[in-house]
Amino acid sequence: MATTLATRRPGGRLRLRNTLTGWSFILPNFVGFALLTLVPVVALFYLAFTSWNVFGAAKWIGTANFTRMVGDASFWTAFRNTVYYTVFHIPLTLVISLGLAILLNQKLRGVAFFRTAAFFPYITSIVAIAVVWNMLFSPQYGPINQFLHAIGVSNPPGWTTSGTWAMPAVIIVGTWREMGYYMLLFLAGLQSIPGELYEAARVDGANAWQRFRNITIPSLRPTTFFITVMLTIGSFKVFDLILVMTNGGPGQSTLVLSQYIYQKGFVENQFGYASSISIVLFAICIAITIFQFLMNKRRDA
Amino acid sequence: MAATIVTSPPAQLHLSSPTGPRTRLRGWRKILLYVVLIVAAAGVLLPFYWMVMSSLKTNNDVFTIPIKWVPDVFVWQNYVDIWTKADMATWLKNTMVLSVAVTALQVFTGSFAAYGFSKVRFPGRDVLFLTYVGTIAVPWQSYMIPQFILMSKVHLSNTLWSIIALQAFGAFGVFLMKQFYESVPEELSEAARIDGLSEYGIYRRIILPLSVPALASLTLLTFTNTWNDYLGPLIYLRSPELWTIQLGLRSFISQYNAEYALIMTGSVLSVLPIALIFILGQKYFVEGIATSGLKG
C-alpha cells in the first residue's frame, strides 16, 4: 500500500535504507513509548492472574481475582457509580458544548473572548477548581445554596456531604470543566459545513429548527461521533476530580473504578487484584470504542 | 482505527474568521444573543471570580450571608503569608522543572517521530502508528500499576525522573505533529530530496520552520497538562521535597482546612502561571485542539 513506491524500485537497498531512516526518526520516542506504555499494557495481562503484594513475589493464581471481583460489593458500587457518571456526563456535555458552539459560531464582536472564557476551566488545575467548587457547594454558607434559598428552595441539597447529591455535584463540575474543550471541537465541525447548504435550505423555506435538524445535525455526525468516543473514555477514567472533591464519599457514593484501582493498588498494595480490576476498565474502554466504530461504519454504509 | 476518525476536524482551521454557517444578526436578536453569552460567560467564570475575591478576604469574610462579592478590605497580606505557611517555592520549582523537561522531550521526540511516520515510507509503518493511536483509547489508570512496578524496579519511583519518563514519550505529541505534517505538501520534500538534502536535513531545514505553529500548540498543551497533573505525582512523588504545586496545594488544604482565604490564595497561585500562558498563547491552544482533537 503505502510502501509501493519504495519497494518497486530496483533492489531492496533503498527499501532497507528507508526502513532504517524511518526507524531512526521514530526510535527516540519509541524507546520510551515501548518501555513505559506497551510493556506495562502487556504486563497487565499477566499481573491480573497473580496474587501480589509489594513484598513477596507474584504468584500465579489463575482466575481467582476475577472470581473475587464478582463477589466484591465495593467493585460493583464503583462500577455502578462509573456508569452513573458516564450516563449523565455524556449527554449533558454534548448538549451544552454543541449549544455553546452554535452560539459562538456567529459573526459577532468579542466572540473570541467568549470562546476563551468557555475554554478556560479546561486548562486550570483540578485541585484548585475542586476546592473552589467544594466551597461554592458548601451546604450552609455556600453561594450555591444561598442562591437556591434566594429563589425559594427552602431545603437545598447538601451536595458533597450528601450521599444522594455528591454524584450530581461531581457531574456538574466535570461538565463545567470539559464543555469548552468539546465546544472547540464542535466549532471546528460547524465551520466545515458549507454555507451554501443553509442558503439553499433558506430558499426552500426551511425554518431555523428545520435547518438545524436536517443540515447541522447530519453534517456534524463525524464530529459528534468522535466527541462521544472521547467523552466515553474520559468518563470511564474519571478520577482526579472525584478524589479531590469527595474522595469517593460520603460512604462509597462517588467511588469510581479508577479510584478503586488506585485504592487497591497503591493504598492496600494488592497489585494483582488491582490489575484485574484494571483489565475490566481496559476491556470496557476498548469494547465501547470498537462498538462505536462499528456502529459508525454501519451508518456510513 | 481511530486515525481515520480523528482526522475529521479539518487540519487548517481559522476559528477567528468563520467560513461556515453564519448569519449576520440584526436588532433585538443580536442583543438577545449578547445577553445570553454574557450570562453564560459570567456563569462559567464565576468560580474563578469567587476564588480570586476570596483570596483577598479575611478568613471570616469568605463565607457570609449574604455573600460579599467584593471584600470590605483587600487583604493582600494573604499573598505574603502563604509563602511562609506553605512550601510554595519548592512546589512551584518542582512543577516548573517537570513541566519544562517533559515539554522539551515531548516536543523533540514527538515531532521527530512524526516525521518518520508521515514522510518516510517503510514496511510496518502504518501498523506501528496504529499501535500508538490505539494506546490513546486505553486509559492510563488501567496500566498505571504495571508501570509503577516497572519504575520501582529501576529505582525511579520517588524521583522527578519518574514523571519525566512517563509523560515525555506519550503518543499525543507524535499524533498531533503527524496531523500537521500531513498537511505539508509532499512536493516540498520531493524537491528537497532532488536537491540532495538528506531526510534529517529536510526535517531540520524545511519541515521544522514550517511547523512552528504546531510546535507552539504542542508546547502549550503539554506544558499545561504536566503543570496540572495530579495523579502521576500523587503515585510517584512521595517525599514532600519532590511535591508539585498540585500535591502541595492538596496537602495544604487538608492541613489548614479552616483557613479558607489562604487556601484560595494558594489556588490562585497554582492557576496563575497557566492563566498567563493561556492568555499569551490562546490562538495556539485553539489550533492545537482543533488539529488534534485529543488531550488527556
Side-chain angles (χ1 to χ4, degrees):
Chain A
M1 292 161 6
T3 54
T4 45
L5 225 143
T7 46
R8 266 197 218 129
R9 290 193 188 154
R13 192 176 271 174
L14 182 64
R15 182 179 157 154
L16 179 68
R17 212 185 67 195
N18 269 340
T19 308
L20 290 179
T21 315
W23 271 101
S24 74
F25 274 103
I26 293 162
L27 217 57
N29 190 276
F30 184 76
V31 171
F33 173 75
L35 276 177
L36 296 158
T37 305
L38 286 185
V39 169
V41 168
V42 174
L44 179 68
F45 285 85
Y46 167 75
L47 277 181
F49 297 95
T50 64
S51 165
W52 191 8
N53 54 39
V54 208
F55 303 106
K59 199 174 85 203
W60 183 267
I61 53 165
T63 55
N65 283 333
F66 294 92
T67 327
R68 175 180 163 194
M69 206 185 304
V70 174
D72 180 354
S74 298
F75 165 77
W76 289 110
T77 305
F79 185 85
R80 268 196 311 274
N81 287 340
T82 310
V83 173
Y84 179 3
Y85 181 88
T86 308
V87 163
F88 284 91
H89 178 62
I90 293 179
L92 205 60
T93 311
L94 272 179
V95 170
I96 295 178
S97 54
L98 177 60
L100 278 175
I102 289 173
L103 281 181
L104 293 174
N105 194 35
Q106 317 277 347
K107 244 200 152 127
L108 271 185
R109 203 177 283 271
V111 84
F113 166 78
F114 292 112
R115 286 174 185 163
T116 308
F119 182 58
F120 190 60
Y122 188 70
I123 53 131
T124 46
S125 92
I126 294 214
V127 179
I129 63 169
V131 61
V132 172
W133 275 94
N134 267 354
M135 289 191 183
L136 294 177
F137 274 128
S138 160
Q140 281 178 6
Y141 299 100
I144 291 175
N145 277 359
Q146 279 199 46
F147 172 75
L148 289 176
H149 265 298
I151 61 166
V153 181
S154 57
N155 195 11
W159 300 112
T160 53
T161 58
S162 135
T164 328
W165 286 98
M167 191 56 108
V170 170
I171 293 171
I172 290 171
V173 181
T175 306
W176 167 81
R177 187 174 130 79
E178 288 173 29
M179 65 190 183
Y181 168 70
Y182 293 108
M183 173 206 72
L184 280 182
L185 294 186
F186 269 128
L187 213 46
L190 282 176
Q191 303 204 343
S192 66
I193 306 175
E196 297 86 63
L197 281 179
Y198 290 92
E199 286 309 318
R202 212 171 271 139
V203 171
D204 289 344
N207 63 30
W209 170 250
Q210 286 166 326
R211 292 197 299 269
F212 174 73
R213 182 81 192 70
N214 297 312
I215 300 173
T216 312
I217 293 288
S219 310
L220 278 182
R221 243 201 43 220
T223 312
T224 314
F225 162 71
F226 173 68
I227 291 177
T228 314
V229 173
M230 294 315 289
L231 264 172
T232 316
I233 298 170
S235 306
F236 267 94
K237 67 178 188 187
V238 64
F239 178 80
D240 310 29
L241 185 67
I242 288 184
L243 193 75
V244 187
M245 269 185 81
T246 64
N247 197 15
Q252 291 191 325
S253 59
T254 53
L255 179 73
V256 285
L257 277 178
S258 312
Q259 192 191 352
Y260 197 50
I261 296 171
Y262 171 81
Q263 193 183 318
K264 286 291 159 197
F266 296 108
V267 180
E268 296 172 28
N269 291 323
Q270 303 180 30
F271 285 158
Y273 189 48
S275 297
S276 44
I277 305 165
S278 303
I279 294 249
V280 173
L281 180 67
F282 177 94
I284 293 171
C285 287
I286 296 293
I288 288 174
T289 310
I290 292 174
F291 173 76
Q292 285 173 330
F293 271 96
L294 292 179
M295 290 298 287
N296 193 49
K297 248 200 182 128
R298 230 177 65 190
R299 281 161 74 189
D300 272 341
Chain B
M1 209 168 57
T4 51
I5 192 65
V6 157
T7 51
S8 59
Q12 236 80 36
L13 262 178
H14 302 287
L15 290 177
S16 45
S17 54
T19 53
R22 63 176 198 268
T23 40
R24 244 174 233 286
L25 293 172
R26 259 176 254 106
W28 64 271
R29 294 188 61 169
K30 194 168 181 174
I31 294 167
L32 185 72
L33 184 66
Y34 268 115
V35 171
V36 171
L37 285 178
I38 288 167
V39 169
V44 171
L45 295 179
L46 206 61
F48 293 108
Y49 175 82
W50 197 80
M51 174 169 87
V52 174
M53 283 307 148
S54 303
S55 76
L56 294 167
K57 289 178 185 170
T58 62
N59 210 23
N60 291 333
D61 278 356
V62 173
F63 289 118
T64 51
I65 293 179
I67 305 160
K68 283 192 179 129
W69 291 106
V70 179
D72 297 334
V73 269
F74 285 82
V75 189
W76 296 101
Q77 189 64 27
N78 287 340
Y79 283 85
V80 179
D81 291 349
I82 187 112
W83 297 90
T84 49
K85 291 216 174 171
D87 205 358
M88 291 296 276
T90 309
W91 302 337
L92 286 171
K93 192 196 81 202
N94 287 335
T95 318
M96 188 56 90
V97 168
L98 285 180
S99 303
V100 169
V102 166
T103 306
L105 277 168
Q106 175 88 256
V107 169
F108 174 71
T109 68
S111 73
F112 205 56
Y115 184 87
F117 278 123
S118 66
K119 297 290 176 193
V120 187
R121 311 204 144 154
F122 61 92
R125 184 188 74 170
D126 297 343
V127 176
L128 189 61
F129 184 67
L130 215 63
T131 316
Y132 266 79
V133 174
T135 58
I136 294 174
V138 179
W140 180 64
Q141 284 89 335
S142 73
Y143 59 89
M144 65 185 177
I145 285 175
Q147 199 180 47
F148 178 78
I149 294 170
L150 191 88
M151 291 285 221
S152 305
K153 293 258 179 216
V154 292
H155 302 291
L156 281 181
S157 61
N158 207 20
T159 67
L160 292 181
W161 291 108
S162 58
I163 300 295
I164 296 177
L166 81 102
Q167 299 201 336
F169 304 102
F172 172 68
V174 180
F175 185 80
L176 187 139
M177 293 311 294
K178 181 175 181 273
Q179 294 285 94
F180 181 81
Y181 291 162
E182 306 269 276
S183 71
V184 177
E186 189 60 37
E187 291 82 39
L188 228 72
S189 359
E190 273 309 320
R193 260 174 222 133
I194 291 164
D195 287 347
L197 217 57
S198 73
E199 293 296 326
Y200 308 104
I202 299 173
Y203 166 78
R204 170 80 190 74
R205 314 245 300 257
I206 297 176
I207 302 291
L208 266 193
L210 278 176
S211 54
V212 169
L215 291 170
S217 305
L218 179 59
T219 305
L220 293 179
L221 292 172
T222 312
F223 192 91
T224 48
N225 237 4
T226 317
W227 186 280
N228 287 332
D229 186 29
Y230 179 65
L231 186 50
L234 176 70
I235 293 172
Y236 284 98
L237 308 177
R238 296 289 167 97
S239 318
E241 70 271 14
L242 297 177
W243 282 354
T244 61
I245 181 74
Q246 309 301 335
L247 289 183
L249 186 60
R250 180 81 176 94
S251 96
F252 184 72
I253 293 166
S254 38
Q255 198 184 340
Y256 292 89
N257 56 37
E259 301 256 10
Y260 306 114
L262 267 185
I263 289 175
M264 288 297 101
T265 309
S267 303
V268 171
L269 286 177
S270 81
V271 169
L272 204 61
I274 292 303
L276 287 176
I277 288 178
F278 179 65
I279 289 163
L280 293 174
Q282 38 149 313
K283 177 172 155 257
Y284 297 110
F285 275 103
V286 171
E287 239 165 76
I289 298 290
T291 39
S292 71
L294 277 171
K295 192 178 158 235

